[in-house]
Amino acid sequence: IKSILNYKNFLDTNNDKNNLFSLEIEKLKQLYSKNNKNLIKNAKSLSKMRNDNSKKLEYSINNNLKILNMKDKKFKINLDNSIDYISEKGMDICEFFICTNLGENLLPISDIASGGEISRIMLAIKMSLQANDIIDTVVFDEIDSGISGATADIVGSIFENLSKSHQILCITHLSQIAGKNGSHINVSKHKYNN
């Protein structure tokens, strides 16, 4: 009888603990639901701000591409939003599209742009974000690919202006670009027989 009573006490104690755990689980479920609603509300608000600002940024980048002698290029920011994408960064997936020739379809930049085009598109983006950019150093690797003459001079002048707010590291073969900068580093490769 004593062991039965002990076992009953054991069950009663565990039942009380289970009831406490059930209450705690219910509180956590309610907190999760509340936080999830806030997350979705804030993600939708952030998505709306991104959508509004993406139009302004897109317009600015297209203007900058014209300045960079990429007149026939059309730049587009594609924002896809869904609760399925939700994370601590919001609910948007952003991709940059470009049309490189008149009459062609817009395609992802990563699929169709050459290295030199990507560098100049990046320069157009940096020009648009210059006042709000938190990145201090920008590296351009052979931005001069496929350009010369007047376009190279324009790119050099833009670098000169951009260097007022950023440190620019540029690998170039063109004097129109290199001549605008304050410091030059000559890198060469040597082969030694051991």
Side-chain angles (χ1 to χ4, degrees):
I1 290 179
K2 185 176 180 183
S3 65
I4 292 172
L5 291 173
N6 286 340
Y7 187 65
K8 180 197 177 296
N9 288 337
F10 170 77
L11 291 176
D12 287 343
T13 302
N14 279 344
N15 192 35
D16 290 344
K17 284 182 184 175
N18 286 339
N19 287 338
L20 287 174
F21 288 143
S22 294
L23 288 172
E24 188 64 25
I25 288 169
E26 190 55 40
K27 284 180 188 175
L28 290 172
K29 281 182 180 177
Q30 289 173 4
L31 183 61
Y32 171 81
S33 178
K34 179 182 173 186
N35 287 338
N36 194 47
K37 285 177 187 173
N38 284 337
L39 175 65
I40 292 169
K41 177 184 168 192
N42 290 334
K44 285 181 178 178
S45 175
L46 179 60
S47 186
K48 183 183 179 330
M49 284 189 288
R50 283 179 175 155
N51 192 49
D52 294 344
N53 287 316
S54 72
K55 302 299 180 213
K56 296 173 191 170
L57 180 60
E58 190 177 287
Y59 178 79
S60 177
I61 292 168
N62 275 307
N63 283 338
N64 290 334
L65 289 173
K66 289 175 186 163
I67 292 168
L68 290 166
N69 267 352
M70 297 177 81
K71 293 176 175 68
D72 294 335
K73 311 291 189 240
K74 183 173 170 102
F75 180 87
K76 174 95 174 102
I77 298 173
N78 185 39
L79 280 176
D80 186 18
N81 58 48
S82 170
I83 292 174
D84 295 337
Y85 306 145
I86 206 156
S87 73
E88 68 276 1
K89 295 176 183 171
M91 57 187 261
D92 301 298
I93 292 180
C94 178
E95 191 169 16
F96 293 162
F97 282 72
I98 196 158
C99 171
T100 55
N101 296 304
L102 290 174
E104 290 185 359
N105 292 330
L106 286 160
L107 295 169
I109 287 176
S110 58
D111 292 349
I112 61 165
S114 68
E117 285 175 325
I118 289 173
S119 291
R120 278 176 278 153
I121 293 164
M122 188 66 199
L123 181 55
I125 293 169
K126 286 292 176 189
M127 290 165 64
S128 296
L129 297 175
Q130 186 173 6
N132 301 318
D133 199 354
I134 59 171
I135 298 172
D136 296 331
T137 303
V138 186
V139 179
F140 291 98
D141 185 10
E142 298 195 17
I143 195 168
D144 52 17
S145 175
I147 65 169
S148 62
T151 303
D153 197 45
I154 291 168
V155 170
S157 296
I158 290 167
F159 274 178
E160 192 172 35
N161 183 42
L162 197 57
S163 71
K164 293 173 184 170
S165 59
H166 295 73
Q167 176 182 356
I168 307 290
L169 300 176
C170 177
I171 299 163
T172 184
H173 301 283
L174 295 177
S175 60
Q176 295 99 318
I177 295 174
K180 302 282 185 181
N181 297 306
S183 301
H184 297 85
I185 300 169
N186 184 16
V187 178
S188 59
K189 185 165 57 171
H190 301 280
K191 183 177 180 183
Y192 296 99
N193 294 331
N194 290 334

